[in-house]
Amino acid sequence: MRTTIETLAEEAEQQIRDRVWEVSDQDRAVAAKAAADLRTAVGPPDGQELLAVIDRLRHLREALAALAHVHGRLAWFLGAPAPP
């Protein structure tokens, strides 16, 4: 997973340098909101291991809902590390 994310970050940086992806203030705001929503939905990593499976699934559903408003290149960037 780490290699996938590092590769994705390098590709995103290249797209930004090449001006293929111009990160707007709106992109930054949406990314910040998605990160905050994900932190709220998922909580600390060590806390997830203590939860029942049904509660972990509820947190996953809430985390996915937090990303529902993301689109365009930002959606590509955030969604690319997910397994097919």
Side-chain angles (χ1 to χ4, degrees):
M1 180 66 120
R2 179 175 294 223
T3 302
T4 300
I5 291 171
E6 288 172 355
T7 301
L8 178 63
E10 289 170 8
E11 186 175 344
E13 289 172 355
Q14 185 64 47
Q15 288 185 15
I16 291 167
R17 277 193 302 275
D18 293 345
R19 298 195 184 273
V20 172
W21 180 12
E22 296 201 19
V23 181
S24 67
D25 289 341
Q26 183 179 3
D27 286 337
R28 287 182 182 85
V30 168
K33 181 175 181 349
D37 291 348
L38 286 170
R39 274 192 300 278
T40 299
V42 175
D46 56 342
Q48 287 295 312
E49 296 173 3
L50 302 174
L51 295 175
V53 172
I54 191 71
D55 292 326
R56 291 173 81 175
L57 289 171
R58 181 176 50 81
H59 285 187
L60 176 60
R61 185 188 71 232
E62 291 170 4
L64 292 173
L67 296 176
H69 61 281
V70 178
H71 62 278
R73 290 198 184 272
L74 185 57
W76 158 79
F77 181 72
L78 294 174

